[in-house]
Amino acid sequence: MPSLVLLPGLACDERLWEAQRPVLPPALDVRVSDAHMRCDRIETMAAAVLADHPGSLILCGASMGGMVAMEVARQAPARIAGLALLGTNARAETPEMFELRRSAIELFENGEARDVIELNAGFAFHSSRGGDAPLLRRYVELVLDAGAAQLVRQNRALMARPDARPHLPSLRCPVLVMCGDGDRLTPPECSSEIASLVPQAELVWVPQCGHMLTMERPELVNATLGPWLQRLLVAP
């Protein structure tokens, strides 16, 4: 039986997956990776996931966690029984995003992390969620709990990430690609591209949803993710 490893996004932890716990098959050994908190590159995060979790793996990654999942599959394709990629991007960093992250890193290093995160938190969600103060507050505190040093290190890892697209056509495991139809941080075209490159990909759009799928529309994520995981367990 494979292990299910949940891979959080930038500056997130196991709280990102709280709402998904009820639909995770009890037959699976479920772990939440903290490799992104211990390593400074996507490639070394992926290697740490492989070292931390021996045997066959189902990987479920959100945003940066999806990038790590794709790199794990590149490093050890024979060990991957399935990939769920939520709101992620297979491309290398663009020059525009590189500069935005570089500017943000300067602010993080100057002790302005809270100001930056609070100012930009709304972009992580669908445009209709601007008035959902409790949701925005949960997200802000989740990210700030990681600390400025992690925000700096993980953004630098994203700036240097590899282009995952060349190896995606070689994947032979089932792949679930999910994206909010109003994702303003990782545009839906990125998910469409991943699904077009992977032979066994299933592409699911989450309506009225932004980047933080598991927090914003957990009921819709669960309605797809739970049955998909169950199908993996009974597949020949």
Side-chain angles (χ1 to χ4, degrees):
M1 187 66 65
S3 297
L4 172 60
V5 181
L6 305 176
L7 301 165
L10 176 73
C12 293
D13 56 28
E14 67 277 358
R15 288 172 285 179
L16 187 68
W17 304 104
E18 281 180 347
Q20 283 64 57
R21 288 286 186 174
V23 301
L24 302 180
L28 290 173
D29 179 18
V30 181
R31 312 284 182 85
V32 180
S33 175
D34 66 349
H36 63 307
M37 298 288 187
R38 295 184 279 119
C39 305
D40 58 6
R41 293 182 64 87
I42 298 297
E43 296 93 327
T44 54
M45 294 174 192
V49 170
L50 288 166
D52 293 342
H53 309 287
S56 179
L57 301 175
I58 299 170
L59 304 177
C60 184
S63 192
M64 186 177 75
M67 299 172 191
V68 175
M70 288 184 281
E71 175 62 16
V72 173
R74 185 194 69 80
Q75 293 184 17
R79 289 184 53 191
I80 308 305
L83 292 177
L85 306 172
L86 281 59
T88 195
N89 182 359
R91 303 170 185 174
E93 189 75 291
T94 64
E96 295 78 13
M97 281 303 302
F98 187 97
E99 287 304 313
L100 284 173
R101 291 190 198 279
R102 185 186 59 78
S103 298
I105 284 171
E106 291 182 2
L107 295 172
F108 296 150
E109 291 177 330
N110 288 333
E112 300 178 56
R114 178 171 288 276
D115 291 341
V116 174
I117 300 304
E118 288 183 341
L119 180 64
N120 292 283
F123 290 105
F125 299 95
H126 191 269
S127 57
S128 65
R129 295 282 188 167
D132 193 338
L135 178 64
L136 295 178
R137 186 166 55 251
R138 275 202 301 135
Y139 170 72
V140 168
E141 295 307 320
L142 173 61
V143 173
L144 290 178
D145 282 350
Q150 285 290 352
L151 284 166
V152 169
R153 185 163 68 175
Q154 292 180 37
N155 271 284
R156 284 179 174 156
L158 289 174
M159 292 162 74
R161 71 180 183 270
D163 188 336
R165 291 174 294 178
H167 76 83
L168 291 180
S170 66
L171 290 177
R172 293 297 176 262
C173 64
V175 177
L176 172 64
V177 182
M178 298 185 71
C179 184
D181 63 358
D183 191 332
R184 293 183 283 177
L185 297 184
T186 303
E189 67 186 61
C190 297
S191 289
S192 295
E193 181 177 46
I194 293 170
S196 72
L197 291 170
V198 177
Q200 297 188 62
E202 175 185 349
L203 177 60
V204 176
W205 300 111
V206 182
Q208 293 290 108
C209 186
H211 188 61
M212 303 299 293
L213 293 81
T214 63
M215 296 176 65
E216 188 172 356
R217 299 302 299 270
E219 71 288 351
L220 297 182
V221 171
N222 291 1
T224 294
L225 182 61
W228 182 79
L229 290 168
Q230 290 287 357
R231 291 197 298 273
L232 286 188
L233 298 183
V234 300

